[in-house]
mmCIF file of all heavy atoms in Angstrom:
data_model
loop_
_atom_site.group_PDB
_atom_site.id
_atom_site.type_symbol
_atom_site.label_atom_id
_atom_site.label_comp_id
_atom_site.label_asym_id
_atom_site.label_seq_id
_atom_site.Cartn_x
_atom_site.Cartn_y
_atom_site.Cartn_z
ATOM 1 N N ASP A 1 -70.888 -66.026 8.693
ATOM 2 C CA ASP A 1 -71.797 -65.168 7.929
ATOM 3 C C ASP A 1 -71.026 -64.210 7.029
ATOM 4 O O ASP A 1 -71.536 -63.780 5.998
ATOM 5 C CB ASP A 1 -72.717 -64.380 8.866
ATOM 6 C CG ASP A 1 -73.874 -63.731 8.104
ATOM 7 O OD1 ASP A 1 -74.585 -64.455 7.377
ATOM 8 O OD2 ASP A 1 -74.049 -62.506 8.217
ATOM 9 N N GLN A 2 -69.801 -63.891 7.405
ATOM 10 C CA GLN A 2 -68.961 -63.083 6.524
ATOM 11 C C GLN A 2 -68.381 -63.958 5.406
ATOM 12 O O GLN A 2 -68.215 -63.509 4.274
ATOM 13 C CB GLN A 2 -67.842 -62.409 7.330
ATOM 14 C CG GLN A 2 -68.380 -61.342 8.277
ATOM 15 C CD GLN A 2 -67.404 -60.988 9.376
ATOM 16 O OE1 GLN A 2 -66.661 -61.828 9.874
ATOM 17 N NE2 GLN A 2 -67.397 -59.726 9.764
ATOM 18 N N ILE A 3 -68.068 -65.206 5.747
ATOM 19 C CA ILE A 3 -67.545 -66.131 4.737
ATOM 20 C C ILE A 3 -68.599 -66.392 3.663
ATOM 21 O O ILE A 3 -68.310 -66.317 2.463
ATOM 22 C CB ILE A 3 -67.078 -67.451 5.393
ATOM 23 C CG1 ILE A 3 -65.913 -67.179 6.359
ATOM 24 C CG2 ILE A 3 -66.666 -68.474 4.326
ATOM 25 C CD1 ILE A 3 -65.535 -68.360 7.232
ATOM 26 N N ILE A 4 -69.821 -66.714 4.083
ATOM 27 C CA ILE A 4 -70.930 -66.915 3.143
ATOM 28 C C ILE A 4 -72.199 -66.365 3.788
ATOM 29 O O ILE A 4 -72.734 -66.958 4.715
ATOM 30 C CB ILE A 4 -71.079 -68.408 2.716
ATOM 31 C CG1 ILE A 4 -72.195 -68.590 1.685
ATOM 32 C CG2 ILE A 4 -71.270 -69.325 3.902
ATOM 33 C CD1 ILE A 4 -71.879 -68.070 0.314
ATOM 34 N N PRO A 5 -72.659 -65.197 3.346
ATOM 35 C CA PRO A 5 -73.835 -64.576 3.961
ATOM 36 C C PRO A 5 -75.066 -65.480 3.952
ATOM 37 O O PRO A 5 -75.273 -66.279 3.035
ATOM 38 C CB PRO A 5 -74.057 -63.328 3.100
ATOM 39 C CG PRO A 5 -72.699 -63.006 2.558
ATOM 40 C CD PRO A 5 -72.068 -64.349 2.310
ATOM 41 N N ALA A 6 -75.887 -65.321 4.987
ATOM 42 C CA ALA A 6 -77.038 -66.192 5.211
ATOM 43 C C ALA A 6 -78.000 -66.257 4.033
ATOM 44 O O ALA A 6 -78.631 -67.292 3.804
ATOM 45 C CB ALA A 6 -77.779 -65.748 6.469
ATOM 46 N N ARG A 7 -78.091 -65.187 3.259
ATOM 47 C CA ARG A 7 -79.058 -65.184 2.146
ATOM 48 C C ARG A 7 -78.704 -66.197 1.053
ATOM 49 O O ARG A 7 -79.538 -66.495 0.190
ATOM 50 C CB ARG A 7 -79.188 -63.780 1.560
ATOM 51 C CG ARG A 7 -77.944 -63.220 0.934
ATOM 52 C CD ARG A 7 -78.137 -61.747 0.546
ATOM 53 N NE ARG A 7 -76.952 -61.133 -0.006
ATOM 54 C CZ ARG A 7 -75.978 -60.604 0.708
ATOM 55 N NH1 ARG A 7 -76.029 -60.643 2.030
ATOM 56 N NH2 ARG A 7 -74.938 -60.054 0.124
ATOM 57 N N TYR A 8 -77.493 -66.744 1.108
ATOM 58 C CA TYR A 8 -77.084 -67.745 0.115
ATOM 59 C C TYR A 8 -77.171 -69.174 0.643
ATOM 60 O O TYR A 8 -76.669 -70.106 0.013
ATOM 61 C CB TYR A 8 -75.652 -67.470 -0.365
ATOM 62 C CG TYR A 8 -75.503 -66.111 -0.988
ATOM 63 C CD1 TYR A 8 -74.711 -65.137 -0.400
ATOM 64 C CD2 TYR A 8 -76.179 -65.790 -2.165
ATOM 65 C CE1 TYR A 8 -74.583 -63.874 -0.964
ATOM 66 C CE2 TYR A 8 -76.068 -64.529 -2.735
ATOM 67 C CZ TYR A 8 -75.268 -63.581 -2.128
ATOM 68 O OH TYR A 8 -75.156 -62.330 -2.681
ATOM 69 N N LEU A 9 -77.823 -69.361 1.786
ATOM 70 C CA LEU A 9 -77.855 -70.683 2.411
ATOM 71 C C LEU A 9 -79.083 -71.501 2.050
ATOM 72 O O LEU A 9 -79.385 -72.480 2.711
ATOM 73 C CB LEU A 9 -77.778 -70.544 3.947
ATOM 74 C CG LEU A 9 -76.584 -69.774 4.489
ATOM 75 C CD1 LEU A 9 -76.571 -69.851 6.008
ATOM 76 C CD2 LEU A 9 -75.274 -70.303 3.926
ATOM 77 N N LYS A 10 -79.768 -71.128 0.995
ATOM 78 C CA LYS A 10 -80.990 -71.845 0.624
ATOM 79 C C LYS A 10 -80.697 -73.175 -0.044
ATOM 80 O O LYS A 10 -81.572 -74.003 -0.192
ATOM 81 C CB LYS A 10 -81.843 -70.968 -0.292
ATOM 82 C CG LYS A 10 -82.320 -69.708 0.408
ATOM 83 C CD LYS A 10 -82.995 -68.769 -0.540
ATOM 84 C CE LYS A 10 -83.343 -67.476 0.198
ATOM 85 N NZ LYS A 10 -83.632 -66.380 -0.692
ATOM 86 N N THR A 11 -79.471 -73.394 -0.432
ATOM 87 C CA THR A 11 -79.111 -74.628 -1.132
ATOM 88 C C THR A 11 -78.629 -75.704 -0.157
ATOM 89 O O THR A 11 -78.084 -75.394 0.900
ATOM 90 C CB THR A 11 -78.004 -74.363 -2.178
ATOM 91 O OG1 THR A 11 -77.711 -75.583 -2.866
ATOM 92 C CG2 THR A 11 -76.732 -73.841 -1.522
ATOM 93 N N THR A 12 -78.870 -76.936 -0.519
ATOM 94 C CA THR A 12 -78.317 -78.064 0.239
ATOM 95 C C THR A 12 -77.221 -78.748 -0.570
ATOM 96 O O THR A 12 -76.736 -79.801 -0.189
ATOM 97 C CB THR A 12 -79.419 -79.092 0.590
ATOM 98 O OG1 THR A 12 -80.057 -79.518 -0.621
ATOM 99 C CG2 THR A 12 -80.432 -78.482 1.539
ATOM 100 N N GLU A 13 -76.846 -78.119 -1.681
ATOM 101 C CA GLU A 13 -75.772 -78.629 -2.523
ATOM 102 C C GLU A 13 -74.462 -77.957 -2.130
ATOM 103 O O GLU A 13 -74.441 -76.780 -1.787
ATOM 104 C CB GLU A 13 -76.065 -78.341 -4.001
ATOM 105 C CG GLU A 13 -77.309 -79.011 -4.532
ATOM 106 C CD GLU A 13 -77.167 -80.518 -4.604
ATOM 107 O OE1 GLU A 13 -76.059 -80.997 -4.915
ATOM 108 O OE2 GLU A 13 -78.157 -81.213 -4.338
ATOM 109 N N SER A 14 -73.377 -78.702 -2.203
ATOM 110 C CA SER A 14 -72.077 -78.149 -1.823
ATOM 111 C C SER A 14 -71.404 -77.390 -2.965
ATOM 112 O O SER A 14 -70.335 -76.819 -2.778
ATOM 113 C CB SER A 14 -71.151 -79.268 -1.340
ATOM 114 O OG SER A 14 -70.899 -80.190 -2.379
ATOM 115 N N THR A 15 -72.033 -77.357 -4.117
ATOM 116 C CA THR A 15 -71.428 -76.691 -5.275
ATOM 117 C C THR A 15 -72.081 -75.333 -5.534
ATOM 118 O O THR A 15 -73.195 -75.075 -5.103
ATOM 119 C CB THR A 15 -71.571 -77.558 -6.533
ATOM 120 O OG1 THR A 15 -72.957 -77.821 -6.752
ATOM 121 C CG2 THR A 15 -70.823 -78.873 -6.382
ATOM 122 N N GLY A 16 -71.353 -74.480 -6.242
ATOM 123 C CA GLY A 16 -71.909 -73.218 -6.694
ATOM 124 C C GLY A 16 -71.801 -72.052 -5.733
ATOM 125 O O GLY A 16 -72.291 -70.963 -6.033
ATOM 126 N N LEU A 17 -71.166 -72.241 -4.575
ATOM 127 C CA LEU A 17 -71.095 -71.158 -3.587
ATOM 128 C C LEU A 17 -69.812 -70.338 -3.683
ATOM 129 O O LEU A 17 -69.705 -69.296 -3.034
ATOM 130 C CB LEU A 17 -71.252 -71.724 -2.169
ATOM 131 C CG LEU A 17 -72.633 -72.304 -1.843
ATOM 132 C CD1 LEU A 17 -72.628 -72.943 -0.464
ATOM 133 C CD2 LEU A 17 -73.706 -71.242 -1.928
ATOM 134 N N GLY A 18 -68.856 -70.785 -4.480
ATOM 135 C CA GLY A 18 -67.586 -70.070 -4.587
ATOM 136 C C GLY A 18 -67.732 -68.633 -5.042
ATOM 137 O O GLY A 18 -67.009 -67.753 -4.579
ATOM 138 N N GLU A 19 -68.677 -68.377 -5.921
ATOM 139 C CA GLU A 19 -68.896 -67.007 -6.409
ATOM 140 C C GLU A 19 -69.425 -66.083 -5.319
ATOM 141 O O GLU A 19 -69.327 -64.875 -5.423
ATOM 142 C CB GLU A 19 -69.863 -67.007 -7.589
ATOM 143 C CG GLU A 19 -69.219 -67.368 -8.897
ATOM 144 C CD GLU A 19 -68.092 -66.415 -9.282
ATOM 145 O OE1 GLU A 19 -68.302 -65.187 -9.247
ATOM 146 O OE2 GLU A 19 -67.003 -66.903 -9.597
ATOM 147 N N ARG A 20 -70.012 -66.655 -4.284
ATOM 148 C CA ARG A 20 -70.603 -65.863 -3.203
ATOM 149 C C ARG A 20 -69.696 -65.802 -1.968
ATOM 150 O O ARG A 20 -70.076 -65.227 -0.961
ATOM 151 C CB ARG A 20 -71.969 -66.427 -2.817
ATOM 152 C CG ARG A 20 -72.958 -66.340 -3.946
ATOM 153 C CD ARG A 20 -73.271 -64.893 -4.267
ATOM 154 N NE ARG A 20 -73.576 -64.718 -5.681
ATOM 155 C CZ ARG A 20 -73.271 -63.629 -6.370
ATOM 156 N NH1 ARG A 20 -72.635 -62.628 -5.825
ATOM 157 N NH2 ARG A 20 -73.592 -63.531 -7.631
ATOM 158 N N LEU A 21 -68.516 -66.385 -2.049
ATOM 159 C CA LEU A 21 -67.566 -66.336 -0.939
ATOM 160 C C LEU A 21 -67.242 -64.884 -0.610
ATOM 161 O O LEU A 21 -66.885 -64.111 -1.496
ATOM 162 C CB LEU A 21 -66.284 -67.093 -1.320
ATOM 163 C CG LEU A 21 -65.164 -67.096 -0.278
ATOM 164 C CD1 LEU A 21 -65.581 -67.881 0.967
ATOM 165 C CD2 LEU A 21 -63.887 -67.704 -0.880
ATOM 166 N N PHE A 22 -67.387 -64.503 0.660
ATOM 167 C CA PHE A 22 -67.145 -63.124 1.130
ATOM 168 C C PHE A 22 -67.926 -62.105 0.291
ATOM 169 O O PHE A 22 -67.439 -61.010 0.011
ATOM 170 C CB PHE A 22 -65.650 -62.784 1.102
ATOM 171 C CG PHE A 22 -64.808 -63.657 1.978
ATOM 172 C CD1 PHE A 22 -63.864 -64.522 1.414
ATOM 173 C CD2 PHE A 22 -64.926 -63.623 3.357
ATOM 174 C CE1 PHE A 22 -63.077 -65.338 2.223
ATOM 175 C CE2 PHE A 22 -64.145 -64.433 4.168
ATOM 176 C CZ PHE A 22 -63.217 -65.290 3.598
ATOM 177 N N ALA A 23 -69.136 -62.455 -0.087
ATOM 178 C CA ALA A 23 -69.912 -61.623 -1.026
ATOM 179 C C ALA A 23 -70.048 -60.176 -0.572
ATOM 180 O O ALA A 23 -69.950 -59.260 -1.393
ATOM 181 C CB ALA A 23 -71.297 -62.238 -1.240
ATOM 182 N N ASP A 24 -70.286 -59.948 0.717
ATOM 183 C CA ASP A 24 -70.486 -58.573 1.181
ATOM 184 C C ASP A 24 -69.194 -57.769 1.192
ATOM 185 O O ASP A 24 -69.240 -56.538 1.259
ATOM 186 C CB ASP A 24 -71.131 -58.571 2.568
ATOM 187 C CG ASP A 24 -72.560 -59.095 2.535
ATOM 188 O OD1 ASP A 24 -73.170 -59.077 1.444
ATOM 189 O OD2 ASP A 24 -73.063 -59.532 3.585
ATOM 190 N N TRP A 25 -68.066 -58.432 1.152
ATOM 191 C CA TRP A 25 -66.767 -57.756 1.103
ATOM 192 C C TRP A 25 -66.250 -57.661 -0.331
ATOM 193 O O TRP A 25 -65.575 -56.701 -0.686
ATOM 194 C CB TRP A 25 -65.733 -58.491 1.960
ATOM 195 C CG TRP A 25 -66.017 -58.497 3.428
ATOM 196 C CD1 TRP A 25 -67.011 -57.832 4.083
ATOM 197 C CD2 TRP A 25 -65.293 -59.206 4.428
ATOM 198 N NE1 TRP A 25 -66.949 -58.091 5.422
ATOM 199 C CE2 TRP A 25 -65.908 -58.924 5.676
ATOM 200 C CE3 TRP A 25 -64.198 -60.057 4.401
ATOM 201 C CZ2 TRP A 25 -65.442 -59.461 6.878
ATOM 202 C CZ3 TRP A 25 -63.728 -60.599 5.601
ATOM 203 C CH2 TRP A 25 -64.355 -60.298 6.820
ATOM 204 N N ARG A 26 -66.564 -58.664 -1.141
ATOM 205 C CA ARG A 26 -66.029 -58.720 -2.506
ATOM 206 C C ARG A 26 -66.757 -57.809 -3.481
ATOM 207 O O ARG A 26 -66.169 -57.370 -4.469
ATOM 208 C CB ARG A 26 -66.100 -60.154 -3.047
ATOM 209 C CG ARG A 26 -65.039 -61.060 -2.497
ATOM 210 C CD ARG A 26 -65.242 -62.491 -2.955
ATOM 211 N NE ARG A 26 -65.092 -62.671 -4.388
ATOM 212 C CZ ARG A 26 -65.537 -63.736 -5.032
ATOM 213 N NH1 ARG A 26 -66.159 -64.705 -4.390
ATOM 214 N NH2 ARG A 26 -65.348 -63.843 -6.338
ATOM 215 N N TYR A 27 -68.054 -57.574 -3.230
ATOM 216 C CA TYR A 27 -68.869 -56.840 -4.187
ATOM 217 C C TYR A 27 -69.491 -55.603 -3.551
ATOM 218 O O TYR A 27 -69.866 -55.612 -2.382
ATOM 219 C CB TYR A 27 -69.985 -57.741 -4.736
ATOM 220 C CG TYR A 27 -69.475 -59.036 -5.327
ATOM 221 C CD1 TYR A 27 -69.625 -60.240 -4.647
ATOM 222 C CD2 TYR A 27 -68.830 -59.043 -6.559
ATOM 223 C CE1 TYR A 27 -69.143 -61.435 -5.183
ATOM 224 C CE2 TYR A 27 -68.341 -60.230 -7.101
ATOM 225 C CZ TYR A 27 -68.503 -61.420 -6.406
ATOM 226 O OH TYR A 27 -68.026 -62.582 -6.940
ATOM 227 N N GLY A 28 -69.619 -54.566 -4.348
ATOM 228 C CA GLY A 28 -70.291 -53.348 -3.899
ATOM 229 C C GLY A 28 -71.793 -53.513 -3.980
ATOM 230 O O GLY A 28 -72.301 -54.529 -4.468
#
């Protein structure tokens, strides 16, 4: 959940998640 927060799990595609990696730590 720290690697990819649950709110970004709506997709079944393996692409497009890199921008959300560690989102709660990377962004204010």
Side-chain angles (χ1 to χ4, degrees):
D1 193 53
Q2 292 161 325
I3 297 170
I4 183 72
R7 63 187 177 276
Y8 301 114
L9 304 186
K10 296 172 185 163
T11 182
T12 56
E13 297 292 324
S14 63
T15 58
L17 293 175
E19 279 300 310
R20 297 294 149 213
L21 178 67
F22 299 114
D24 292 339
W25 295 354
R26 283 174 65 197
Y27 306 105

